[in-house]
Every structure is written in structure tokens, then in C-alpha cells.
Amino acid sequence: MQRDRRAPDTAALRLRLLAGAAAVALAASGHGASAQTVPTASAPAGPDGLTPNAVYIEADAASREGDLIIASGVGESRVLARFRGATLRAGEVSYDLESGVATANRRVEFTDPGGTVVFASHLELDSDLKAGVAVDFATRFANGASLMAATAVRRSEQVNELNYAIFTPCPICDAEGNPKEPSISIQAEKVVQNEELRAVLYRNALFRVGGVPVFYLPFFAHPDPTVERASGFLVPIPSYDEGRGLSLEVPYLHVVSPSEDWLISPQLNTDVAPLLNLQWRRRFANGSVVARAGYTHEENFGDFDGPDPDNLPDIPIAAEHRSYLLAYGRFDPDGPWRGGFTAERVSDKTLFDRYDIRDPYQENGLYYGDRRRLISQAYAERQTDRSYFSIAAFDMQSLRVAVPNVDAPGLNIFESDDSLPFVAPLIEARWEPNGPVLGGRLRLRGTAVALYRDAYVGSPVLRPEIVPTGSLSALPGVDSRRVSGQAEWRRALTSRAGVRWEPFIDVRADAYSVGDLPPGLGLDDETITRGRATAGLDVSYPLIRRMSDSADLILEPMAQMSVSTDPDLDPRIPNEDSQTLELDESSLFRTDRFPGYDLLEGGLRFTAGMRATLRWDQGRQASLFIGRSLRDDDEPGFQVPVPDAPAQLYDPSGLASDTSDWVVQGSFSPSDRIRGWGHATIDSSGEIRRAETAVDGRWGRRNLATVSYIIDRSNPLAGPLNRNYEFLQLSGQQFVYGNWGVTVAGIADLERDLITRSEIGLLFDDDCFRFELGWRRDNTRVRPTGPSEGLYVRLNLATFGGTGY
């Protein structure tokens, strides 16, 4: 007997259906249809307000024929059903109380408890949601990939089988919602999505680009888009080098567990032996370890043909074992302590360049080496709200070219590792009391370090007064140990007129023990102590003026007056940590403007500057700072010998005279598409000592360009050891038609009048696929094979990965 119940009031129908939900729930659990009562002890409700065995149905009409319950929508409306964390929408939904099978027809949309949405014209599901059948199946994953099929069968909770299916990681609709041909798609006779294997398997797979068939495979597989990572081959990486020939790197990812994986990536070359690259990653409960390594057995290939072939240095060229290791670990257990390590070594100083190893110079530890220097270290830190402590030890390996050979780059002379110090230990500590002291902030600092060097190094480590003359090859390296303590007190006061006053006091003491100083100058192992006391006042007076309803101008004059005791720059103290100085807006007003402890300033100093900032139209701004420092007397201790004329001295810091360099610094962003910044130090004669500037621009939706310029003119005397430089760098991309465009990049060495790196390529880029094909030339001095040029290919595919682009 059929009972038809129709009601225009949907809310009333919802209440009636909820009241009878127990019958449907019991049927879904395998009980008989005659059980019509609600259990007395119900399970707790879930986030949707339903107990695990409850069903919520909202429909325009409902009927029952025996054990078959039918709910339907009228016109364009659909039935809404919620059960077991899943949601079902369809034009008609029926449920068999006897078999527990639910059937949906017309514009079916099913969302499982995991959030995956399935669309179909017809859908059947069993009572446990573990098996089912769909017609005109389509689903979209969280990462934007889509999977469609004529029919789909859910064999179990882990396995889905699709017939005559198409998979694409690309959008299938344009911005207006109209259907479009995906850039990349895979069409297959049968597709099996195995969630247990975390893979999608294809039979008779046809690859299409822009709808055009380009490749066929009888079998193909890739990771399931719903998983973060899975074992399998990644996108190959092609490259070319005149020394290696054509190269193809074929990476394979092996996932051991959710917390561990291996990347096995052999580089196959046409002209030299393969290079095996490995990477191991492991996460622990409170840390992680990453280790990269490579190995090959090959000759030391490169350009060794100098202008005088009969008088070449003895360079090992024969085939031998060559390898590298780049590893680091970080551990952060509960509590204030954390620690880590890095282990970085390479057998050949040019191995990274000959085999194009990607990103070998990374900052993974507490300390990091400069460009083309590897660092191995172990460290531990302890940090609280009021204190900090660290202890570390490290050693470095240099891959820098000391004396380049223009005619034969394979004969470059590299910086010796023995000239770099072994540091152990290096200790730093800071502490602040919990509360003001005399109304201000007190900070205590302490450091200790010991450095050991095998080979002799003169300037700039040793002061000019103790650099010996004559043969230096047999001299030992200078060892040094230092302990420093420092106390700083500062208080901030603001007057009613808005003037900010900050009086400060700084007291510092150093103790050095220096060994292996050059003999013949009456020096031995020396113990040196020194101290310095400083008192001063910082004053600033920010002023703001409203220029219009959407613009204002901020002027902030600032000044510092300080007086210190004699800094006592003892020439026996080596300069290990203060050889370089970046004089800018922040460092200009510091008590210690040098980055380390070996050089320090004293005497009477006056520093002044002005910052002006113009802001307008919600985020647009331009700022400029100009400042300079004056002292009561020159400081010749900051001067160092000219590398090509040791008898002459020059000032690389800009602080040796009684007037410092001018500091000019600014930034601007006139729109959200253009921004830039610049910084320069200018000496008293108006000559630029150092400068750097960069401008970024964007136009259209994806067109962009970056231009940067950097110059260093600190060394006044030209020569082979002069390290002045001037570089101009450009990169950008311009789309010409649709998703097609061109990309350019280049670095010009204006000091040598040479383009060191350049590339130009054809670009295709849409929402899921980026491809570059172009021509590249590398003319850097460190490459042992000399200038290299050839085609390059970069490929990045959504879901499938990329070539390191």
C-alpha cells in the first residue's frame, strides 16, 4: 500500500522525517524494518548535530512503498540528506530498508566525510558507504585536479574503478564558468584509484596537451592527488654542459613512511660517467635530519690548456672517486633548549659547478658560510623570555677562486682551507632582569671564542704593524682566544612636546690570548686586556603633517652624542670578526658599528640624520634617510693595507677619518605594482664607496621584471688582487599572446665589461602547466670548463611536480 505525503511546508516535513529517522538508521545498521522506536541510550551527536545512526532528510515530497522510502524535489529543487558525516543532494533519493542500499538520480552531488565531492547522474551506495556505482561520474580534488568517467564502481573503501575516464590537474572551466579544454589531460580505457597504494593506475593511457594527443602508454601510474607524497618517478631534469655533454637527471622518490623518504636521482651524461645523487629525510618527534650526497668516478674535466702548455701546474686529472655531502639536523625538544648540526664537504672545489648541483650553499644551521664556503658545525641553544645562551663549534671549506686564470679556467687557484679558522668553542650569552633598573632597561652580554688556523694569513687579519716582510710560506697560522663582557643600560623618555630622549651607558671589557704571532718582531704568545666605557644620549623628534585627506608627511630628525674612553686598538689583536662593515641607517647609530668584537670605536662622537616619509592612497609611500657621523679625531687603526700595494693603506669601513661616509637610504612603492629601494655610502669627496638598488615591477596579470644594481669601490688601487665589483642584474617575463610569452635573465659584470650569465626563452604558463625552452650562457670565472652555452628546458606540472624550476 502506497502512502503519499506532500506538504508545501518543508520545515514541517523536516520535523516528521527526523522523528522517523531511527527506522532508517536501524536499517542502515542491518536491523529489520519493523524496529520503529528510538533507542533509549543514544550515541553523542557529531559536529552536524546527528548521532552516528541518525539520518537527516529534507525534501519537497516523500513516499513509501513497502521497504522502499522515496524522497524527491519539485522542479529544480533537490533532496538533501545527511548521514554519517556525509552529505547527499539529488533530484530523487530512495532508500531500501531491507538491503540498506541508497539510490540517487538527477544532478547527484555526494560529499564524503573526508570532503571529496562526487557528481553523477545516477549513484548507488551500500549501507556502509564502502561500495557503490555511479554513472556520468565526476569529482574534483582539493588541489584543483578533476577526474571524470562514463561509469565508476567503488569496489571497496580503498578502491575506485573508472571506465573510459579522463584525469586533468588543470581547470576545466574558464573564469566565467564556461567549459574549456584543459591544458594537460590523461585519457584512459580504465583507471583504478587505489587509496591503499596511494596511487592512480591507468590502462591504455593517452596524454593530451591542449586536447591534442601527444603520447601513449599501455600502463601508467602517478600518486593519488589526495595524498601529500607517494613513491614514484618525478619529472626528469634535462641539461647541457660542454664538459658533461647532454645530461638527464631521473629522480625517483621512495616514501618509507609518513616521516621518512629517499630521493634517488642519478644524473646520466653523454660525455662523462654518471653522478649518483641521493637525499634522505627523516622527521622525529622533536626534530628532523636531511642528508644529500653524491658520488662518481671520473676524470677532472675542464679547460686546462693555458698559454704555455709546457709549463702547467701539476693538477690531478686522472679518474678517481669524487663525492659530496650536504647534511643538517635540527632538534627542538620541549623546554628552552634546542640544537642541531650541519655537515658539508666536497672532494673537488669545482664538483658543484661541473655537475650543476642545485642549491649547494644553504643556510641550515646557527651559523652559515659566505657564498662558496661550506660549513660543518654542531650547536646548542637555550632561550627564555629574558635570556639567551648558545655554544657552537664549526669548520669551513672554501670553494672560492683566489686567483682566476682567464686563459684556462681549469687552472684557477682556489682559497686554501688551511687559511680558514677552526672555531671551538664559540659561546654567546645575553640576560635581562625582569623589570626596569633605574627606570631603564639593562642588558648583560658575554661571549667567548677560540680560533685555530693552520696556514699563515696576513692582512686583513693581522694589523699592518705586525705583518712581516720576506718569505711567508713557512709561517704558522695565528691562533687567538677571546672572552668579552658587556653591560648596557638605556632609558627612553618622551617630553610633552613629543621629543624622545634616550640616555645610555655602555661598559665593555675584553681579554685576548694570542699565539703563533709572526716571529722576528719581538712577539711571543701574548695576553692582552682592554676596556671601554661609553655614555651618550639619543634624541629624535618625529613630526607629522597632514598634506590632504589621503596623504601625510613624516619628518624625523635624529641625533646621538656619545663619549668613550680610549678604545685601545692593540695591533697584536687579530681582526677575525670585523673585516667587513655595512654602514646603513640602523648601524650608523650603534655604539659598536662593527659587526664583531675585534674592532671598536671610542672618543667623542656626534651622529645626525634625517628620515622623511611620504604616505598616500592606502599603502603607497616613499621614504629617504640621510645621515653622517663625526668624531673628534681620526682613527688610523681602521685602515688596512692595499692588497696590490701592502705599503699603502686604505679605509674599507668609511669610519677611519674624523667624518664618516654619508649614508643615503630610501625606498618607494608608488603603487601595488612597483616597488624599489636603494642604499649608498658616499665619502667626503662625493665618490660612492658602496651602493645597491633594486626595482620590481608588475603589469598585466602575470608580466613582471626586476632590475638590481650593486657596486663596491672601497679599494682605491687597481690590480689583480683588487676585489672591487659592479654588477647589473635583470630578470623578467612578458606574455605576448594568451599563455605564451618570453622570459629573459642576465647578470652583467660591469667591472670586467662581461655578461657573466644570460638566458632567453620561450614561455608557456597557465594555471597548471609551465614550460620554458630557451638558450643559456654561463661565463662565470669559477667554471673549470670555461664559458658554457646551450639549450635549457624547464617544466613544472601541477600534481606531477617539476624540474626544479
Side-chain angles (χ1 to χ4, degrees):
M1 174 180 172
Q2 179 179 354
R3 182 173 57 183
D4 190 5
R5 297 182 297 175
R6 299 181 181 272
D9 187 354
T10 307
L13 179 59
R14 283 201 299 267
L15 292 174
R16 290 195 294 269
L17 289 173
L18 280 172
V24 181
L26 289 173
S29 301
H31 295 278
S34 61
Q36 300 289 329
T37 59
V38 179
T40 56
S42 60
D48 57 1
L50 300 178
T51 60
N53 292 326
V55 178
Y56 172 89
I57 300 178
E58 179 179 331
D60 293 327
S63 63
R64 179 171 178 173
E65 298 178 359
D67 291 333
L68 186 65
I69 298 176
I70 302 174
S72 60
V74 177
E76 294 297 321
S77 65
R78 292 185 293 176
V79 177
L80 169 64
R82 289 194 286 115
F83 50 94
R84 298 191 178 184
T87 302
L88 176 65
R89 289 182 174 87
E92 181 183 271
V93 176
S94 63
Y95 188 82
D96 193 314
L97 297 174
E98 180 67 24
S99 64
V101 174
T103 303
N105 292 289
R106 304 199 322 264
R107 296 184 294 119
V108 180
E109 179 181 340
F110 175 73
T111 305
D112 69 12
T116 301
V117 182
V118 170
F119 302 92
S121 61
H122 174 79
L123 178 67
E124 294 183 13
L125 291 172
D126 68 357
S127 59
D128 295 326
L129 305 181
K130 294 182 178 180
V133 177
V135 178
D136 298 330
F137 169 88
T139 184
R140 184 173 179 84
F141 301 101
N143 64 353
S146 301
L147 185 61
M148 297 154 283
T151 60
V153 180
R154 188 172 179 84
R155 299 293 185 185
S156 67
E157 192 174 7
Q158 302 291 334
V159 178
N160 295 321
E161 181 182 299
L162 298 91
N163 299 297
Y164 301 102
I166 297 177
F167 171 81
T168 177
C170 307
I172 56 176
C173 296
D174 59 20
E176 287 74 28
N178 301 314
K180 74 169 186 176
E181 188 72 41
S183 302
I184 302 173
S185 63
I186 307 174
Q187 179 180 329
E189 180 182 329
K190 178 173 287 188
V191 178
V192 177
Q193 182 187 21
N194 192 316
E195 297 179 10
E196 184 176 2
L197 296 177
R198 301 191 300 176
V200 179
L201 314 174
Y202 298 81
R203 180 189 298 173
N204 294 328
L206 182 63
F207 294 79
R208 296 177 180 270
V209 176
V212 179
V214 296
F215 193 62
Y216 167 82
L217 285 176
F219 176 81
F220 176 70
H222 67 77
D224 192 311
T226 60
V227 301
E228 182 178 351
R229 58 198 177 99
S231 299
F233 285 97
L234 305 182
V235 177
I237 306 172
S239 61
Y240 173 79
D241 179 81
E242 293 185 6
R244 300 190 318 270
L246 293 174
S247 300
L248 182 66
E249 192 169 336
V250 186
Y252 178 82
L253 178 66
H254 175 61
V255 178
V256 180
S257 69
S259 60
E260 182 180 5
D261 62 35
W262 284 85
L263 182 63
I264 306 166
S265 185
Q267 183 190 84
L268 309 177
N269 308 295
T270 59
D271 294 348
V272 297
L275 173 72
L276 177 61
N277 297 285
L278 299 173
Q279 177 179 276
W280 174 67
R281 301 188 300 177
R282 174 68 186 271
R283 288 197 309 267
F284 302 93
N286 297 305
S288 63
V289 174
V290 177
R292 296 171 57 191
Y295 171 80
T296 188
H297 188 270
E298 184 52 86
E299 295 180 351
N300 185 9
F301 57 90
D303 184 359
F304 303 102
D305 298 328
D308 186 5
D310 297 329
N311 189 25
L312 294 178
D314 184 16
I315 296 178
I317 299 179
E320 59 181 61
H321 301 288
R322 306 180 188 276
S323 60
Y324 70 88
L325 172 65
L326 302 171
Y328 68 91
R330 300 190 184 106
F331 303 94
D332 191 3
D334 294 336
W337 285 95
R338 59 179 176 266
F341 72 91
T342 64
E344 301 177 350
R345 277 296 182 270
V346 63
S347 61
D348 300 47
K349 292 184 180 293
T350 59
L351 184 70
F352 294 150
D353 307 286
R354 294 201 307 271
Y355 290 91
D356 285 334
I357 304 301
R358 294 187 305 280
D359 298 327
Y361 311 105
Q362 298 184 8
E363 301 175 7
N364 293 316
L366 184 61
Y367 299 96
Y368 55 89
D370 298 330
R371 182 70 175 172
R372 298 196 64 83
R373 278 179 178 168
L374 303 179
I375 183 169
S376 298
Q377 63 184 304
Y379 63 90
E381 295 178 281
R382 185 183 190 275
Q383 186 169 7
T384 65
D385 293 339
R386 293 289 175 178
S387 66
Y388 174 82
F389 173 83
S390 69
I391 182 169
F394 61 82
D395 188 27
M396 290 183 289
Q397 180 184 15
S398 177
L399 309 183
R400 289 182 173 182
V401 174
V403 181
N405 191 313
V406 178
D407 298 317
L411 304 180
N412 288 339
I413 299 176
F414 287 81
E415 183 180 40
S416 171
D417 295 339
D418 291 338
S419 66
L420 300 177
F422 170 68
V423 181
L426 173 56
I427 301 173
E428 296 187 19
R430 297 189 296 271
W431 178 79
E432 295 183 19
N434 188 15
V437 175
L438 300 177
R441 182 191 64 197
L442 176 66
R443 284 183 175 176
L444 303 180
R445 296 186 182 92
T447 66
V449 64
L451 298 95
Y452 307 91
R453 184 180 271 108
D454 292 332
Y456 169 81
V457 175
S459 176
V461 174
L462 297 184
R463 304 304 306 154
E465 296 90 329
I466 64 171
V467 174
T469 58
S471 177
L472 307 175
S473 59
L475 295 180
V478 174
D479 302 331
S480 64
R481 293 153 292 276
R482 174 184 54 79
V483 176
S484 299
Q486 188 172 12
E488 179 194 23
W489 176 87
R490 180 180 291 265
R491 183 178 181 182
L493 303 169
T494 303
S495 70
R496 292 184 177 181
V499 180
R500 183 178 178 89
W501 308 81
E502 289 193 19
F504 62 89
I505 299 174
D506 185 280
V507 179
R508 173 176 153 184
D510 303 324
Y512 283 84
S513 174
V514 185
D516 289 333
L517 286 168
L521 300 177
L523 301 175
D524 198 354
D525 292 352
E526 304 286 336
T527 299
I528 308 150
T529 60
R530 68 183 182 185
R532 185 203 60 187
T534 302
L537 178 67
D538 283 330
V539 182
S540 61
Y541 187 28
L543 303 169
I544 184 170
R545 179 177 181 180
R546 198 73 173 171
M547 308 295 292
S548 67
D549 292 339
S550 60
D552 53 55
L553 175 65
I554 301 174
L555 297 178
E556 186 176 1
M558 57 194 75
Q560 179 188 92
M561 176 68 75
S562 66
V563 58
S564 303
T565 59
D566 184 359
D568 189 17
L569 296 178
D570 194 303
R572 297 171 297 174
I573 297 177
N575 180 12
E576 298 281 4
D577 60 11
S578 302
Q579 297 175 14
T580 60
L581 170 65
E582 187 68 31
L583 199 59
D584 57 17
E585 178 182 355
S586 60
S587 64
L588 185 64
F589 288 88
R590 292 176 186 164
T591 304
D592 293 306
R593 286 180 276 211
F594 287 95
Y597 284 82
D598 294 334
L599 290 181
L600 72 167
E601 296 182 80
L604 179 63
R605 292 179 292 167
F606 175 74
T607 305
M610 169 72 78
R611 182 193 301 117
T613 303
L614 178 63
R615 303 180 302 187
W616 73 98
D617 291 346
Q618 298 182 353
R620 303 183 182 188
Q621 63 89 26
S623 66
L624 177 65
F625 170 84
I626 299 177
R628 195 182 198 188
S629 182
L630 311 175
R631 79 158 39 86
D632 59 344
D633 200 0
D634 295 342
E635 184 50 80
F638 295 159
Q639 295 182 325
V640 299
V642 176
D644 293 291
Q648 301 182 32
L649 301 179
Y650 79 106
D651 175 23
S653 66
L655 294 175
S657 67
D658 57 357
T659 57
S660 77
D661 287 351
W662 287 97
V663 176
V664 181
Q665 191 168 326
S667 65
F668 63 93
S669 53
S671 73
D672 59 352
R673 292 180 171 270
I674 300 176
R675 63 179 182 178
W677 62 273
H679 165 257
T681 54
I682 304 171
D683 63 22
S684 300
S685 64
E687 298 291 331
I688 293 178
R689 187 185 303 271
R690 294 184 183 92
E692 186 174 4
T693 184
V695 178
D696 300 333
R698 295 184 294 118
W699 60 99
R701 188 167 69 93
R702 293 175 294 175
N703 304 315
L704 53 90
T706 299
V707 180
S708 62
Y709 173 80
I710 185 170
I711 183 174
D712 188 319
R713 287 285 180 266
S714 57
N715 189 340
L717 186 63
L721 299 180
N722 188 302
R723 289 296 178 263
N724 289 349
Y725 55 80
E726 185 177 8
F727 289 100
L728 178 66
Q729 183 171 353
L730 168 69
S731 63
Q733 64 182 32
Q734 170 67 53
F735 285 86
V736 179
Y737 177 76
N739 294 320
W740 292 92
V742 294
T743 177
V744 296
I747 302 176
D749 186 342
L750 304 182
E751 183 75 16
R752 297 190 296 148
D753 195 21
L754 180 70
I755 304 295
T756 57
R757 289 182 180 176
S758 60
E759 61 182 47
I760 182 170
L762 181 66
L763 167 68
F764 177 86
D765 188 5
D766 66 3
D767 296 320
C768 71
F769 172 54
R770 182 182 177 100
F771 174 77
E772 284 187 50
L773 175 64
W775 185 267
R776 176 177 56 193
R777 178 178 175 82
D778 192 329
N779 199 26
T780 53
R781 292 189 291 184
V782 75
R783 294 187 67 89
T785 56
S788 175
E789 59 183 354
L791 291 172
Y792 72 86
V793 177
R794 295 186 185 129
L795 179 64
N796 194 29
L797 306 176
T799 301
F800 303 118
T803 62
Y805 167 83

